[in-house]
Amino acid sequence: MAITQAMWIHGHSIKVEYHDRIKSIRRAGFFARITGKPNTTNWFHFSIPTTVIVNDKRQMIDSVMLRFRSGSNKAKVTNVDIYDGDWKIAAYDNLGLYPATFGLQRFNVPGKPEISWGVGISIGVSFTGTTDAQNTIEFSSAGCDFNLFESVRLHFKVLTTPTVSIDQMLASMREVYEPVGVRVVRMSDENLDLPSLNTVDVGECKRGITTAEQNTLFNHRNNVVANDVVVYFVEATNPPYNGCAAHPDGKPGAVVASCATRWTMGHEVGHVLGLSHVDNNDRLMTGNGTGNITNPPPDLISSEITTMQNSNLTVNP
Amino acid sequence: MAISEKDLLLALGNEEPRYLEILPKLDEKAIAILSVLSKGNDTMMATKAIFLAGLSKTLSGAVIVETASKSAVKLKRIAAASAMEHLPEEKREKIALKLIDDADISIQKLVIRATGNSKSVKLKEKFTRLSKESPSGYIRELISALPQPMP
Ligand SMILES: [Zn+2]
């Protein structure tokens, strides 16, 4: 999966948010050197020149990168927030980064959103040293990788909020899908007040076979277009399963039970995309339960990736 | 050959356990493991164990389902209601009498389906009352749609 665009900007271009909190900023040829006043926090900003459309394709952000070094552990990067125009697309807070030498620090952007307005990186730094040498940080460069991913588009219909949050299930699914080039797009969220289907009959949960209750549930397709996948979060299935990916023809989707694991949604959507069980607890499609995954995040192997790419539910950019 | 504890845990751990494939491998030792699981804190495993216990059509399995029907954990009571239809009639009606008073619509739905044809007078009384008083139109309709007994 080659990078389609990589944009970098030199450290000289850094913008200081609170000038009264810094003792000095000096732009040497190599970097911008900032010395903060003791016991201050500050924000520094990079605007990355962003070609949002290349060859008629809107670019998706993969990650941003920073090259910087600190004079001591008293000049720490505490936050890296990433924006597309006015939209915050990723936030790394509670960091404590103080590399002594220039290296490349990469910050993943989950969800790999399409970029519309230009990438901004805002960096929070705390200065807690007593000497200038301790309170010095040098930024040499900031950059951003772009890519084009196949997408699986999910709609969430919630009858019961699961114990492991939907955000966590989505983040876990992205941990597995994104490294193999499939981004997971959260298209819509809707609450469904359907108490009679909250414990939904799924029978033996076999591909292509659905119960009357599944048929009724899967008729709820507000905002859903062809090739979108719907995940219905129910309280339980009858009989008890973590989830079930059997769905009526032409209505791709799955149910996920309220006490499913954080990997269940990715596993069930894997079935919807055509994957079958394997006897290997390192893999997402283990037939021994994602609760028994030994080495998270679980893997998808190349033949599975091919199956996913061949599914008409993964949409090419 | 009977299933080992390790294999039983993996088979039930499965996102979608193949209950009918596990069933012939269950022996009393395995059902004792289901009993422990049914009382455990892993609710997902507990509900699967409760259902499989009911499916086993054994006395010890029925005890597991009955205990689960009294659990404070709603998902375990739902699993007990799911398992009910596989229990001997007498046991089923006893559990139904307890579970039908549960305010949860899923549980009521499963109880009505599993025991709708029951000849138990007490259970019929409860159904009749629910058919008039249940706040859920769905439950009232479900009971009204039950086949009426011959006069
Ligand atoms: Zn599965």
Side-chain angles (χ1 to χ4, degrees):
Chain A
M1 198 178 39
I3 292 163
T4 53
Q5 286 280 308
M7 300 296 288
W8 285 86
I9 193 162
H10 195 275
H12 291 169
S13 64
I14 200 163
K15 303 280 194 306
V16 177
E17 184 61 38
Y18 301 111
H19 286 273
D20 56 325
R21 299 183 195 173
I22 63 168
K23 190 158 181 193
S24 64
I25 176 165
R26 186 166 80 86
R27 290 174 177 86
F30 310 101
F31 45 67
R33 172 181 291 168
I34 298 166
T35 303
K37 291 180 181 169
N39 298 315
T40 59
T41 58
N42 215 323
W43 286 95
F44 306 112
H45 308 287
F46 281 108
S47 322
I48 309 288
T50 313
T51 45
V52 297
I53 295 174
V54 179
N55 296 332
D56 293 333
K57 300 220 190 266
R58 187 166 287 283
Q59 300 294 298
M60 300 163 190
I61 184 168
D62 177 77
S63 50
V64 302
M65 290 146 291
L66 294 175
R67 271 173 68 78
F68 66 97
R69 69 182 178 191
S70 298
S72 75
N73 62 0
K74 309 290 185 192
K76 270 186 207 164
V77 168
T78 52
N79 310 68
V80 174
D81 292 353
I82 306 162
Y83 291 83
D84 173 24
D86 56 342
W87 183 32
K88 191 190 268 191
I89 52 177
Y92 289 86
D93 299 316
N94 307 311
L95 299 171
L97 305 175
Y98 51 90
T101 54
F102 286 117
L104 190 133
Q105 310 258 348
R106 187 184 290 272
F107 302 89
N108 179 49
V109 180
K112 314 294 178 194
E114 291 168 340
I115 294 299
S116 299
W117 309 111
V119 174
I121 309 172
S122 296
I123 304 154
V125 178
S126 71
F127 299 97
T128 55
T130 49
T131 66
D132 287 354
Q134 287 174 335
N135 285 332
T136 293
I137 190 165
E138 295 163 346
F139 289 94
S140 83
S141 206
C144 185
D145 280 350
F146 297 89
N147 215 326
L148 294 170
F149 296 87
E150 292 204 50
S151 304
V152 53
R153 301 181 303 198
L154 300 186
H155 297 262
F156 298 146
K157 310 280 186 201
V158 183
L159 289 76
T160 292
T161 304
T163 310
V164 173
S165 72
I166 294 174
D167 286 350
Q168 174 70 75
M169 287 197 206
L170 179 61
S172 301
M173 181 175 174
R174 284 173 169 165
E175 270 185 71
V176 184
Y177 280 57
E178 285 177 352
V180 304
V182 179
R183 71 176 188 149
V184 184
V185 186
R186 184 178 196 156
M187 299 295 289
S188 75
D189 286 64
E190 184 186 11
N191 290 322
L192 293 180
D193 183 23
L194 298 169
S196 66
L197 296 173
N198 209 359
T199 294
V200 63
D201 287 338
V202 296
E204 286 187 52
C205 185
K206 292 205 165 148
R207 188 171 289 163
I209 301 171
T210 50
T211 66
E213 287 196 350
Q214 278 168 304
N215 295 341
T216 308
L217 181 61
F218 281 69
N219 275 335
H220 291 269
R221 291 176 63 79
N222 274 345
N223 311 312
V224 180
V225 299
N227 295 339
D228 288 0
V229 175
V230 187
V231 179
Y232 299 91
F233 291 93
V234 297
E235 184 161 44
T237 61
N238 173 39
Y241 297 124
N242 289 45
C244 175
H247 56 267
D249 264 358
K251 293 172 184 165
V255 296
V256 171
S258 63
C259 54
T261 78
R262 69 183 175 121
W263 306 112
T264 297
M265 182 170 80
H267 175 98
E268 297 304 339
V269 174
H271 282 312
V272 177
L273 298 179
L275 305 184
S276 301
H277 281 172
V278 293
D279 183 14
N280 182 334
N281 293 354
D282 269 351
R283 284 165 58 183
L284 179 67
M285 298 315 293
T286 176
N288 303 320
T290 57
N292 290 313
I293 278 169
T294 39
N295 192 17
D299 301 329
L300 289 163
I301 64 163
S302 61
S303 59
E304 291 172 323
I305 297 162
T306 304
T307 301
M308 291 162 77
Q309 287 168 340
N310 289 341
S311 165
N312 57 5
L313 305 176
T314 48
V315 183
N316 274 314
Chain B
M1 208 181 86
I3 193 165
S4 70
E5 174 164 6
K6 178 169 168 264
D7 287 346
L8 179 60
L9 293 178
L10 291 177
L12 278 185
N14 185 348
E15 241 66 15
E16 310 88 1
R18 312 270 51 131
Y19 293 110
L20 296 178
E21 291 171 23
I22 312 170
L23 194 56
K25 302 177 196 162
L26 290 182
D27 59 2
E28 276 303 319
K29 204 174 129 229
I31 291 176
I33 296 165
L34 297 182
S35 176
V36 173
L37 289 174
S38 74
K39 293 168 190 158
N41 291 330
D42 182 339
T43 307
M44 191 77 249
M45 283 297 267
T47 59
K48 292 169 177 173
I50 292 160
F51 181 78
L52 184 58
L55 212 55
S56 75
K57 294 190 160 58
T58 59
L59 191 62
S60 39
V63 171
I64 292 172
V65 177
E66 187 174 2
T67 307
S69 74
K70 298 170 191 161
S71 170
V73 180
K74 184 166 62 155
L75 286 166
K76 293 189 185 182
R77 299 199 303 278
I78 292 175
S82 286
M84 270 176 48
E85 65 173 310
H86 306 289
L87 298 180
E89 193 171 345
E90 191 188 331
K91 203 71 170 173
R92 194 190 319 159
E93 281 169 3
K94 187 176 170 208
I95 295 174
L97 277 169
K98 163 91 179 71
L99 279 180
I100 194 66
D101 290 334
D102 207 299
D104 185 74
I105 289 178
S106 294
I107 293 173
Q108 290 183 343
K109 170 180 89 170
L110 294 166
V111 171
I112 293 163
R113 282 209 213 133
T115 57
N117 296 325
S118 165
K119 294 186 179 65
S120 155
V121 177
K122 278 189 195 162
L123 205 46
K124 276 188 194 160
E125 281 172 7
K126 295 219 177 196
F127 285 168
T128 307
R129 189 167 50 76
L130 267 183
S131 72
K132 292 173 187 151
E133 295 173 9
S134 171
S136 160
Y138 171 77
I139 292 294
R140 296 196 302 271
E141 268 175 43
L142 199 59
I143 295 172
S144 309
L146 289 173
Q148 297 302 309
M150 299 293 279

PDB file of all heavy atoms in Angstrom, chain A residues 205 243 245 267-268 271 275-277 284-287, chain B residues 14-16 18, ligand 1:
ATOM      1  N   CYS A 205     -27.680 -19.239  13.181  1.00  0.00           N
ATOM      2  CA  CYS A 205     -26.766 -18.220  12.655  1.00  0.00           C
ATOM      3  C   CYS A 205     -25.889 -18.797  11.544  1.00  0.00           C
ATOM      4  O   CYS A 205     -24.673 -18.946  11.707  1.00  0.00           O
ATOM      5  CB  CYS A 205     -25.908 -17.618  13.766  1.00  0.00           C
ATOM      6  SG  CYS A 205     -24.881 -16.254  13.162  1.00  0.00           S
ATOM      7  N   GLY A 243     -22.425 -12.264  18.520  1.00  0.00           N
ATOM      8  CA  GLY A 243     -22.995 -11.529  17.398  1.00  0.00           C
ATOM      9  C   GLY A 243     -23.355 -12.531  16.330  1.00  0.00           C
ATOM     10  O   GLY A 243     -23.093 -13.728  16.481  1.00  0.00           O
ATOM     11  N   ALA A 245     -23.665 -12.661  11.864  1.00  0.00           N
ATOM     12  CA  ALA A 245     -23.535 -11.925  10.607  1.00  0.00           C
ATOM     13  C   ALA A 245     -24.491 -12.415   9.526  1.00  0.00           C
ATOM     14  O   ALA A 245     -24.434 -11.925   8.400  1.00  0.00           O
ATOM     15  CB  ALA A 245     -22.096 -12.013  10.117  1.00  0.00           C
ATOM     16  N   HIS A 267     -15.016  -8.777  13.807  1.00  0.00           N
ATOM     17  CA  HIS A 267     -15.161 -10.192  13.430  1.00  0.00           C
ATOM     18  C   HIS A 267     -16.450 -10.387  12.618  1.00  0.00           C
ATOM     19  O   HIS A 267     -16.437 -11.017  11.553  1.00  0.00           O
ATOM     20  CB  HIS A 267     -15.184 -11.022  14.720  1.00  0.00           C
ATOM     21  CG  HIS A 267     -15.456 -12.480  14.538  1.00  0.00           C
ATOM     22  ND1 HIS A 267     -14.459 -13.429  14.501  1.00  0.00           N
ATOM     23  CD2 HIS A 267     -16.628 -13.166  14.398  1.00  0.00           C
ATOM     24  CE1 HIS A 267     -14.993 -14.633  14.341  1.00  0.00           C
ATOM     25  NE2 HIS A 267     -16.319 -14.503  14.287  1.00  0.00           N
ATOM     26  N   GLU A 268     -17.556  -9.842  13.107  1.00  0.00           N
ATOM     27  CA  GLU A 268     -18.835 -10.038  12.412  1.00  0.00           C
ATOM     28  C   GLU A 268     -18.830  -9.363  11.046  1.00  0.00           C
ATOM     29  O   GLU A 268     -19.325  -9.928  10.066  1.00  0.00           O
ATOM     30  CB  GLU A 268     -20.006  -9.513  13.262  1.00  0.00           C
ATOM     31  CG  GLU A 268     -20.214 -10.231  14.601  1.00  0.00           C
ATOM     32  CD  GLU A 268     -20.411 -11.743  14.483  1.00  0.00           C
ATOM     33  OE1 GLU A 268     -20.789 -12.230  13.402  1.00  0.00           O
ATOM     34  OE2 GLU A 268     -20.144 -12.447  15.483  1.00  0.00           O
ATOM     35  N   HIS A 271     -17.154 -11.523   8.656  1.00  0.00           N
ATOM     36  CA  HIS A 271     -18.055 -12.523   8.057  1.00  0.00           C
ATOM     37  C   HIS A 271     -18.875 -11.888   6.928  1.00  0.00           C
ATOM     38  O   HIS A 271     -19.050 -12.489   5.868  1.00  0.00           O
ATOM     39  CB  HIS A 271     -19.044 -13.060   9.103  1.00  0.00           C
ATOM     40  CG  HIS A 271     -18.464 -14.073  10.048  1.00  0.00           C
ATOM     41  ND1 HIS A 271     -17.726 -15.150   9.636  1.00  0.00           N
ATOM     42  CD2 HIS A 271     -18.543 -14.179  11.416  1.00  0.00           C
ATOM     43  CE1 HIS A 271     -17.371 -15.887  10.695  1.00  0.00           C
ATOM     44  NE2 HIS A 271     -17.852 -15.302  11.791  1.00  0.00           N
ATOM     45  N   LEU A 275     -15.504 -13.558   5.081  1.00  0.00           N
ATOM     46  CA  LEU A 275     -14.490 -14.359   5.785  1.00  0.00           C
ATOM     47  C   LEU A 275     -15.140 -15.462   6.620  1.00  0.00           C
ATOM     48  O   LEU A 275     -16.257 -15.320   7.094  1.00  0.00           O
ATOM     49  CB  LEU A 275     -13.639 -13.467   6.691  1.00  0.00           C
ATOM     50  CG  LEU A 275     -12.957 -12.275   6.020  1.00  0.00           C
ATOM     51  CD1 LEU A 275     -12.061 -11.542   7.010  1.00  0.00           C
ATOM     52  CD2 LEU A 275     -12.155 -12.719   4.803  1.00  0.00           C
ATOM     53  N   SER A 276     -14.395 -16.555   6.793  1.00  0.00           N
ATOM     54  CA  SER A 276     -14.868 -17.699   7.587  1.00  0.00           C
ATOM     55  C   SER A 276     -13.945 -17.906   8.784  1.00  0.00           C
ATOM     56  O   SER A 276     -12.862 -17.320   8.864  1.00  0.00           O
ATOM     57  CB  SER A 276     -14.877 -18.964   6.730  1.00  0.00           C
ATOM     58  OG  SER A 276     -15.724 -18.775   5.616  1.00  0.00           O
ATOM     59  N   HIS A 277     -14.384 -18.797   9.672  1.00  0.00           N
ATOM     60  CA  HIS A 277     -13.601 -19.064  10.882  1.00  0.00           C
ATOM     61  C   HIS A 277     -12.300 -19.778  10.579  1.00  0.00           C
ATOM     62  O   HIS A 277     -12.201 -20.553   9.633  1.00  0.00           O
ATOM     63  CB  HIS A 277     -14.416 -19.928  11.853  1.00  0.00           C
ATOM     64  CG  HIS A 277     -15.419 -19.132  12.617  1.00  0.00           C
ATOM     65  ND1 HIS A 277     -16.363 -19.705  13.425  1.00  0.00           N
ATOM     66  CD2 HIS A 277     -15.615 -17.790  12.716  1.00  0.00           C
ATOM     67  CE1 HIS A 277     -17.103 -18.758  13.973  1.00  0.00           C
ATOM     68  NE2 HIS A 277     -16.680 -17.591  13.549  1.00  0.00           N
ATOM     69  N   LEU A 284      -8.266 -12.461  13.711  1.00  0.00           N
ATOM     70  CA  LEU A 284      -9.585 -11.873  13.970  1.00  0.00           C
ATOM     71  C   LEU A 284     -10.692 -12.899  13.781  1.00  0.00           C
ATOM     72  O   LEU A 284     -11.697 -12.887  14.494  1.00  0.00           O
ATOM     73  CB  LEU A 284      -9.811 -10.690  13.018  1.00  0.00           C
ATOM     74  CG  LEU A 284     -11.155  -9.978  13.146  1.00  0.00           C
ATOM     75  CD1 LEU A 284     -11.263  -9.261  14.492  1.00  0.00           C
ATOM     76  CD2 LEU A 284     -11.355  -8.976  12.016  1.00  0.00           C
ATOM     77  N   MET A 285     -10.519 -13.793  12.798  1.00  0.00           N
ATOM     78  CA  MET A 285     -11.588 -14.708  12.452  1.00  0.00           C
ATOM     79  C   MET A 285     -11.492 -16.027  13.214  1.00  0.00           C
ATOM     80  O   MET A 285     -12.040 -17.050  12.796  1.00  0.00           O
ATOM     81  CB  MET A 285     -11.633 -14.945  10.934  1.00  0.00           C
ATOM     82  CG  MET A 285     -11.905 -13.687  10.120  1.00  0.00           C
ATOM     83  SD  MET A 285     -13.241 -12.641  10.763  1.00  0.00           S
ATOM     84  CE  MET A 285     -14.657 -13.695  10.504  1.00  0.00           C
ATOM     85  N   THR A 286     -10.835 -16.018  14.349  1.00  0.00           N
ATOM     86  CA  THR A 286     -10.755 -17.227  15.161  1.00  0.00           C
ATOM     87  C   THR A 286     -12.154 -17.771  15.460  1.00  0.00           C
ATOM     88  O   THR A 286     -13.074 -17.006  15.755  1.00  0.00           O
ATOM     89  CB  THR A 286      -9.993 -16.975  16.478  1.00  0.00           C
ATOM     90  OG1 THR A 286     -10.052 -18.172  17.251  1.00  0.00           O
ATOM     91  CG2 THR A 286     -10.591 -15.840  17.301  1.00  0.00           C
ATOM     92  N   GLY A 287     -12.249 -19.086  15.366  1.00  0.00           N
ATOM     93  CA  GLY A 287     -13.512 -19.732  15.735  1.00  0.00           C
ATOM     94  C   GLY A 287     -13.547 -20.108  17.204  1.00  0.00           C
ATOM     95  O   GLY A 287     -14.486 -20.775  17.661  1.00  0.00           O
TER      96      GLY A 287
ATOM     97  N   ASN B  14     -16.281 -19.278  21.140  1.00  0.00           N
ATOM     98  CA  ASN B  14     -16.656 -18.959  19.766  1.00  0.00           C
ATOM     99  C   ASN B  14     -17.705 -17.845  19.734  1.00  0.00           C
ATOM    100  O   ASN B  14     -18.682 -17.881  20.468  1.00  0.00           O
ATOM    101  CB  ASN B  14     -17.212 -20.245  19.114  1.00  0.00           C
ATOM    102  CG  ASN B  14     -17.523 -20.076  17.631  1.00  0.00           C
ATOM    103  OD1 ASN B  14     -17.542 -18.965  17.105  1.00  0.00           O
ATOM    104  ND2 ASN B  14     -17.765 -21.198  16.973  1.00  0.00           N
ATOM    105  N   GLU B  15     -17.479 -16.861  18.858  1.00  0.00           N
ATOM    106  CA  GLU B  15     -18.456 -15.773  18.689  1.00  0.00           C
ATOM    107  C   GLU B  15     -19.863 -16.339  18.477  1.00  0.00           C
ATOM    108  O   GLU B  15     -20.837 -15.820  18.983  1.00  0.00           O
ATOM    109  CB  GLU B  15     -18.060 -14.940  17.459  1.00  0.00           C
ATOM    110  CG  GLU B  15     -17.752 -13.487  17.724  1.00  0.00           C
ATOM    111  CD  GLU B  15     -16.521 -13.277  18.582  1.00  0.00           C
ATOM    112  OE1 GLU B  15     -15.729 -14.221  18.763  1.00  0.00           O
ATOM    113  OE2 GLU B  15     -16.357 -12.161  19.104  1.00  0.00           O
ATOM    114  N   GLU B  16     -19.921 -17.416  17.690  1.00  0.00           N
ATOM    115  CA  GLU B  16     -21.208 -18.045  17.382  1.00  0.00           C
ATOM    116  C   GLU B  16     -21.058 -19.528  17.696  1.00  0.00           C
ATOM    117  O   GLU B  16     -20.738 -20.327  16.797  1.00  0.00           O
ATOM    118  CB  GLU B  16     -21.577 -17.857  15.895  1.00  0.00           C
ATOM    119  CG  GLU B  16     -21.483 -16.423  15.368  1.00  0.00           C
ATOM    120  CD  GLU B  16     -20.082 -16.051  14.847  1.00  0.00           C
ATOM    121  OE1 GLU B  16     -19.188 -16.914  14.881  1.00  0.00           O
ATOM    122  OE2 GLU B  16     -19.900 -14.898  14.432  1.00  0.00           O
ATOM    123  N   ARG B  18     -21.381 -23.392  18.079  1.00  0.00           N
ATOM    124  CA  ARG B  18     -22.170 -24.394  17.349  1.00  0.00           C
ATOM    125  C   ARG B  18     -22.727 -25.358  18.391  1.00  0.00           C
ATOM    126  O   ARG B  18     -22.201 -26.438  18.612  1.00  0.00           O
ATOM    127  CB  ARG B  18     -21.303 -25.120  16.310  1.00  0.00           C
ATOM    128  CG  ARG B  18     -20.490 -24.192  15.447  1.00  0.00           C
ATOM    129  CD  ARG B  18     -21.135 -23.691  14.157  1.00  0.00           C
ATOM    130  NE  ARG B  18     -22.449 -23.113  14.203  1.00  0.00           N
ATOM    131  CZ  ARG B  18     -22.801 -21.951  13.646  1.00  0.00           C
ATOM    132  NH1 ARG B  18     -21.924 -21.181  13.076  1.00  0.00           N
ATOM    133  NH2 ARG B  18     -24.030 -21.536  13.676  1.00  0.00           N
TER     134      ARG B  18
HETATM  135 ZN    ZN C   1     -17.709 -15.891  13.701  1.00  0.00          ZN
END
